[in-house]
């Protein structure tokens, strides 16, 4: 098990948001968390990555307990978060953003080069405009930049928070295709998504978060065919 | 280790609490509120030290040891509060130290039953208002100062530049803090029909005098009268010297131009004159006690006192004598003595005489003297009195600066 | 009012302005880029001036030594202040802490250096660049040094790895941590570097001007004015604004010296009104 979370509690500004969340992320899989707005999905990612304190429970990554460690330490362990809202270094160019993404392997020039090539291969449009400031790109392209940035550190686990926000369906599909490609190449991916249908379509396993708790879990296929899920989240 | 330190701290605290209590009625306490830190810390400290030396030299008054009680006001907003503290300790007699805002302090002291001998303030507010019986002003007012500035300037212009006063081009430049001096001089010049060619009060944080220096050059100024404080005086002189553009005569309104730091610029300091009430570098024979005062000060502090130090010293010595003559520490008796006493000129260390008129202004405080920076024995510039002759230790060189 | 005079005023204004611009750019970096309200800026500047004076005149330390050592000490001071005293503090904490530190600095200056004003008393050699137009050699040198320093700093921020990391942290502090960057340490380093700017400004300033214990607040006020006019965080803008104010100052002094303060403050108010809301909260680097 790559990552296992046990009974995790977390507060945001004193309000309890996560109430005893338990889940597992298997290596080499695409694991998805879906849920309504305010269910705690983003808080879960932020707590894993060290940007939010955990008030109870544990998070284990490759056997090690990582809850409440500083974010830059957790990044060094191999967890890369592609944050909600993209959070690009807007005034910096594409290549500078990617360079920052490679901070942890900055001393290994060959590795950085290889990672850079992989990102440009996945997203050729970025290579073409790599000296343009990040803020000048469209929403979909910005998502590519932020994804690429997340890949630059050769992470063991790539976590992506709400990648579909503000993007057109066609663009979302394009990017999700790349996610699948990455996964086929061996990357473990942990996706938090509001767009339940598209997310479950590419996932292996999924969790439904409701009001800070895991309400349902199962294979993506099972969840897609579940009546409750269909009614509540798929509008059927 | 910690306990040891704690005990020492405790013991020190107890001792310092006990100390004032021990020294109570056996001494003649005289208070001074001045500035020992901040901008005016330097001249203020000079007045503190001078007062202490006066107390040392006189020793006792009517059998009681003189005890100067000197506090640091730090900034003008605090001075009344500090005076309050001293009054609460029962101190009734006060000497004014270096203070650019002396009137509120004097007012407070006198209003609350104290008596102040003021030898460093040039503001005649209290004497002009009247009703401040326990206030005695040893110096002539700034209005007299401005008038003397103008009189001497015109005299030098006539005698040394060979020009008719009406043809003299005069520049008045200075700092807002001293602007009233410049304004008064400008007004007097206007009255005489010789309006100043340039009259500029610049902002407080001026960094470059080149525009003003250039302007004065363009206007062919004969005499410049700066009313500046220490740091802008220094900057102006250095820049003017660098540009080799100084009007032939420079006669400054005291303060800024007689600080020892002025000599740091080397030869550029030479030739600047400034008008002062009294200056330690004058003929010692004309001022009994001056030599000893300077020697004591130098021995203790490694440098000579500034003007205000001398003023404070002389005022204190005169005051001690007056209390001695009154024969009593009663305020009314002291006041009566001060109202009638007459000390002729040439007896006090600052050369002044003392005789108060009915407003408590000192009628024997003149003449105002002029000092000039001239080459010293070791090559460094020194500031010496050059005018009037009976107080001068060197001859003035007027005009000093060449016109280009 | 000859052309020579106009050019002389212009050049002198530019050179004096360059100095204003230099120390304003340090403040704008602290306040605008790092979002640290350093109310002790002026005190640290005059501490550098006093220390340089004492080093050169009284302790007989060569200038080269001062130039090498003082900036290092200031870097350490900046880092320690940010990462030990200010870390995690709200704006109020920052303001109070930096004021408190400033008071300690002021007190130390008076204790060790005594409250007397100090000056190196250097008469500037003049360079005649054209008939009738003379400029001070030190002023010119300082202008060139200030410009070079700022260009180097910009290059550092734009091209070097550490510079990029600092820019990233300034833009997105949390996100930078996701990349493994210890943002707090980086901000401490950046603050330390801005303190180096203060040290160098101080070393240069004492060669031209006297220093008094009260000079700190007027330098700080001027820095704040210039930084605000240029937009907080805009270092290049602060330098240009400094130049502009220097020139404005020079001409005003010639024509209407008593209006200098009024005009410059009015300008400040006008700029504030025009800008209100536009650059508020923008992260500039």
């Amino acid at each position: 098990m790559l990552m296992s979370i046990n009974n995790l509690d977390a507060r945001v500004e004193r309000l309890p948001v996560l109430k005893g969340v338990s889940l597992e992320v298997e290596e080499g899989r695409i694991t998805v968390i879906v849920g309504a707005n305010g269910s705690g999905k983003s808080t879960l990612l932020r707590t894993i990555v060290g940007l939010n304190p955990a008030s109870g429970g544990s998070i284990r990554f490759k056997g090690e307990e990582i809850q409440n460690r500083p974010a830059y330490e957790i990044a060094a362990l191999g967890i890369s978060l592609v944050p909600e809202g993209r959070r690009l270094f807007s005034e910096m160019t594409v290549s500078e953003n990617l360079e920052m993404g490679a901070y942890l392997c900055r001393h290994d020039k060959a590795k950085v080069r290889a990672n850079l090539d992989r990102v440009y291969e996945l997203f050729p449009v970025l290579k073409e405009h790599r000296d343009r400031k990040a803020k000048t790109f469209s929403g979909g392209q910005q998502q590519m930049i932020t994804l690429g940035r997340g890949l630059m550190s050769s992470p063991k686990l790539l976590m992506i928070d709400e990648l579909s926000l503000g993007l057109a369906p066609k663009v979302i599909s394009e990017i999700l295709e790349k996610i699948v490609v990455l996964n086929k190449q061996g990357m473990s991916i942990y996706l938090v998504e509001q767009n339940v249908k598209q997310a479950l379509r590419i996932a292996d396993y999924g969790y439904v978060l409701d009001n800070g708790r895991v309400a349902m879990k199962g294979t993506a296929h099972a969840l897609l065919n579940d009546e409750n899920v269909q009614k509540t989240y798929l509008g059927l | 280790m910690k306990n040891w330190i704690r005990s020492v701290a405790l013991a020190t605290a107890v001792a310092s609490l006990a100390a004032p209590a021990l020294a109570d009625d056996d001494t003649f306490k005289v208070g001074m509120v001045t500035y020992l830190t901040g901008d005016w810390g330097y001249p203020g400290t000079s007045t503190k030290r001078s007062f202490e030396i006066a107390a040392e030299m006189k020793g006792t008054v009517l059998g009681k040891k003189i005890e100067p009680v000197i506090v640091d006001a730090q900034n003008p907003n605090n001075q009344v509060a500090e005076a309050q503290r001293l009054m609460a300790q029962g101190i009734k007699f006060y000497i004014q130290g270096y203070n650019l805002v002396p009137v509120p302090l004097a007012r407070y002291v006198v209003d609350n039953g104290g008596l102040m001998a003021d030898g460093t303030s040039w503001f005649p507010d209290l004497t002009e208002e009247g009703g401040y019986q326990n206030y005695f002003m040893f110096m002539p007012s700034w209005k007299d100062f401005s008038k003397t500035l103008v009189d001497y300037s015109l005299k030098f212009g006539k005698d040394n530049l060979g020009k008719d006063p009406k043809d003299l081009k005069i520049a008045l430049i200075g700092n807002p803090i001293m602007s009233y001096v410049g304004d008064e001089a400008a007004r007097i010049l206007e009255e005489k029909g010789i309006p100043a060619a340039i009259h500029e009060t610049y902002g407080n944080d001026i960094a470059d005098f080149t525009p003003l220096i250039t302007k004065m050059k363009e206007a062919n100024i004969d005499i410049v009268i700066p009313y500046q404080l220490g740091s802008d005086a220094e900057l102006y002189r250095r820049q003017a010297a660098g540009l080799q553009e100084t009007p032939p005569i420079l006669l400054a309104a005291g303060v800024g131009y007689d600080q020892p730091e002025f000599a740091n610029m080397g030869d550029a300091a030479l030739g600047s004159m400034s008008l002062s009430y009294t200056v330690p570098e004058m003929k010692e024979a004309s001022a009994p006690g001056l030599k000893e005062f300077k020697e004591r000060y130098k021995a203790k502090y490694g440098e000579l006192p500034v003007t205000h130090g001398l003023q404070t010293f002389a005022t204190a010595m005169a005051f001690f004598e007056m209390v001695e003559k009154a024969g009593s520490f009663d305020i009314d008796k002291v006041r009566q003595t001060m109202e009638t006493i007459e000390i002729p000129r040439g007896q006090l260390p600052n050369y002044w005489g003392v005789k108060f008129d009915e407003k408590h202004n000192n009628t024997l405080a003149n003449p105002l003297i002029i000092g000039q920076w001239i080459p010293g024995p070791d090559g460094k510039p020194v500031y010496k009195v050059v005018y009037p002759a009976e107080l001068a230790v060197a001859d003035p060189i007027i005009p000093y600066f060449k016109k280009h | 009012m000859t052309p020579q005079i106009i050019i002389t005023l212009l050049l002198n204004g530019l050179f004096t302005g360059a100095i204003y611009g230099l120390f304003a750019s340090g403040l704008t970096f602290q306040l605008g880029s790092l979002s640290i309200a350093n109310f002790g800026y002026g005190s640290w500047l005059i501490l550098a001036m006093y220390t340089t004076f004492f080093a050169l005149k009284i302790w007989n330390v060569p200038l080269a030594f001062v130039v090498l050592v003082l900036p290092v000490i200031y870097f350490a001071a900046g880092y320690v202040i940010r990462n030990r005293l200010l870390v995690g503090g709200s704006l109020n904490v920052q303001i109070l802490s930096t004021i408190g530190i400033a008071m300690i600095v002021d007190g130390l200056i008076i204790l060790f250096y005594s409250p007397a004003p100090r000056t190196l008393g250097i008469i500037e050699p003049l360079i005649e660049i054209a008939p009738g137009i003379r400029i001070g050699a030190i002023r010119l040198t300082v202008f060139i040094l200030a410009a070079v320093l700022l260009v180097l700093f910009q290059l550092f921020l734009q091209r070097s790895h550490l510079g990029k990391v600092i820019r990233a942290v300034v833009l997105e502090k949390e996100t930078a941590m996701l990349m493994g960057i210890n943002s707090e340490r980086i901000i401490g380093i950046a603050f330390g570097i801005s303190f180096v700017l203060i040290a160098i400004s101080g070393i240069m300033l004492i060669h031209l001007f006297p220093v008094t214990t009260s000079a700190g607040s007027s330098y700080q006020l001027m820095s704040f004015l210039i930084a605000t006019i240029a937009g907080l965080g805009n270092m290049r803008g602060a330098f240009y604004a400094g130049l502009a104010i220097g020139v404005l100052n020079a001409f005003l002094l010639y024509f209407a010296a008593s209006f200098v303060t009024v005009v410059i403050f009015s300008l400040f108010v006008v700029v504030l009104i025009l800008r209100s809301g536009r650059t508020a909260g923008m992260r500039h680097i």
Side-chain angles (χ1 to χ4, degrees), chain A residues 59-214:
Chain A
I59 306 171
R60 287 197 125 77
F61 183 71
K62 297 202 297 179
E64 230 182 296
E65 273 198 25
I66 63 167
Q67 71 273 5
N68 286 325
R69 285 177 53 178
Y72 56 89
E73 268 184 38
I74 293 179
L77 289 172
I79 299 179
S80 178
L81 173 65
V82 176
E84 184 186 14
R86 274 140 245 155
R87 308 245 70 118
L88 288 171
F89 303 122
S90 49
E91 297 289 332
M92 296 170 83
T93 65
V94 171
S95 57
E96 284 174 338
N97 268 273
L98 296 178
E99 194 183 336
M100 288 298 105
Y103 184 80
L104 285 166
C105 13
R106 64 192 183 280
H107 299 304
D108 187 344
K109 297 275 196 294
K111 197 185 211 185
V112 174
R113 184 78 247 165
N115 287 346
L116 197 62
D117 288 338
R118 174 166 70 163
V119 169
Y120 284 150
E121 205 183 336
L122 266 176
F123 305 114
V125 68
L126 297 185
K127 179 169 189 177
E128 207 184 314
H129 301 287
R130 62 182 178 278
D131 290 322
R132 265 174 52 190
K133 284 196 185 175
K135 66 181 182 182
T136 63
F137 290 82
S138 70
Q141 291 166 336
Q142 286 192 355
Q143 190 61 53
M144 292 181 204
I145 300 172
T146 199
L147 252 174
R149 188 179 64 179
L151 288 170
M152 288 300 292
S153 56
S154 303
K156 308 276 186 314
L157 175 64
L158 184 69
M159 307 200 299
I160 308 173
D161 195 351
E162 302 280 14
L163 89 81
S164 68
L165 269 187
L167 298 182
K170 181 165 172 292
V171 178
I172 300 173
S173 302
E174 264 179 44
I175 298 182
L176 284 177
E177 265 173 56
K178 307 284 189 190
I179 303 274
V180 173
V181 169
L182 274 171
N183 178 244
K184 291 233 165 49
Q185 290 174 354
M187 178 73 67
S188 310
I189 298 184
Y190 185 43
L191 214 57
V192 153
E193 252 312 316
Q194 220 179 56
N195 189 323
V196 178
K197 191 175 358 181
Q198 297 215 335
L200 285 176
R201 279 227 199 95
I202 63 161
D204 295 307
Y205 203 85
Y207 291 85
V208 177
L209 212 62
D210 181 20
N211 210 359
R213 273 177 253 269
V214 173

Side-chain angles (χ1 to χ4, degrees), chain B residues 102-116:
Chain B
V103 173
L105 178 65
R107 205 187 284 275
Y108 177 82
V109 163
V110 175
D111 276 345
N112 285 276
L115 183 147
M116 178 171 280

Side-chain angles (χ1 to χ4, degrees), chain B residues 36-39 41-42 45 200-212 214-215 217-218 230-232 234-235 237-239 241-245 259 261 264-266 268, chain C residues 1-2 5 8-9 12-13 16 20 53 57 110 115-124 126 134 139 207-210 212-214 218 222 250 253-258 260-261:
Chain B
L36 304 175
T37 55
D39 268 346
Y42 186 72
T45 305
E200 296 283 7
T201 300
Y202 46 80
N204 226 332
D205 39 21
I206 188 167
D208 186 15
F209 279 97
T210 311
L212 283 175
T214 311
K215 194 168 173 184
K217 172 179 169 223
E218 290 305 299
S231 49
D232 39 323
E234 194 270 345
L235 186 61
R237 275 311 303 137
R238 260 197 302 126
Q239 290 186 342
L243 287 167
Q244 293 155 12
E245 297 291 349
Q259 312 268 34
E261 288 300 311
N264 276 13
M265 69 178 85
Chain C
M1 194 61 193
T2 66
I5 294 184
T8 305
L9 289 179
N12 270 289
T16 311
Y20 290 148
F53 172 85
K57 279 287 193 184
I110 291 171
R118 301 288 180 172
T119 171
L120 286 177
I122 300 172
I123 311 288
E124 272 194 88
L126 290 173
R134 288 172 297 170
R139 216 166 276 263
H207 281 79
L208 286 168
F209 305 121
T212 62
T213 49
S214 66
S218 62
M222 190 56 96
L253 270 176
Y254 190 89
F255 291 109
S258 37
V260 169
T261 317

